[in-house]
Amino acid sequence: MHVVVVPVGRGSKRRLETQASKRSVFTPKALENILQNRLRQTESIEMLIHYGVLVREQQKGKNHDLTVTEYQVQQETEQLEIVERILDEK
């Protein structure tokens, strides 16, 4: 899904009272609540109404981002496993 949004923040003390501001609108708590919970519930209901299909519940622990270090370790481990398989075949 692609969503085009202009976040509008209100009550700024330094600049205009109303201005485009992603920090004041898209806080981590708001993103989790709106984008993950409400949209998923709405999508599940719509899928059930229109297509008769139940959407699986979101699995915990599966959807996470790796830090740069974790990603590098994962890539090096995969490369090492490939090299070990090649050496074992010989």
Side-chain angles (χ1 to χ4, degrees):
M1 174 189 307
H2 294 279
V3 179
V4 178
V5 177
V6 177
V8 176
R10 301 193 194 300
S12 177
K13 295 178 183 177
R14 292 187 181 186
R15 299 184 188 117
L16 297 172
E17 184 175 323
T18 302
Q19 61 185 356
S21 172
K22 71 176 184 178
R23 286 187 185 154
S24 63
V25 176
F26 295 122
T27 62
K29 186 175 181 178
L31 287 174
E32 181 179 343
N33 186 28
I34 294 169
L35 293 179
Q36 292 182 352
N37 296 337
R38 287 188 191 168
L39 285 177
R40 186 162 183 85
Q41 288 174 351
T42 303
E43 173 246 347
S44 296
I45 292 168
E46 293 296 323
M47 288 292 288
L48 185 59
I49 291 170
H50 295 289
Y51 301 105
V53 176
L54 287 174
V55 177
R56 285 184 278 150
E57 289 295 319
Q58 185 175 9
Q59 298 175 359
K60 294 194 182 248
K62 190 173 183 181
N63 304 321
H64 70 280
D65 294 327
L66 299 175
T67 64
V68 173
T69 307
E70 290 172 334
Y71 178 76
Q72 289 172 341
V73 168
Q74 180 184 23
Q75 293 300 313
E76 289 175 6
T77 304
E78 289 175 4
Q79 289 176 359
L80 186 63
E81 289 173 356
I82 292 170
V83 169
E84 287 176 348
R85 273 191 246 131
I86 291 171
L87 291 175
D88 287 341
E89 290 175 359
K90 290 183 177 182

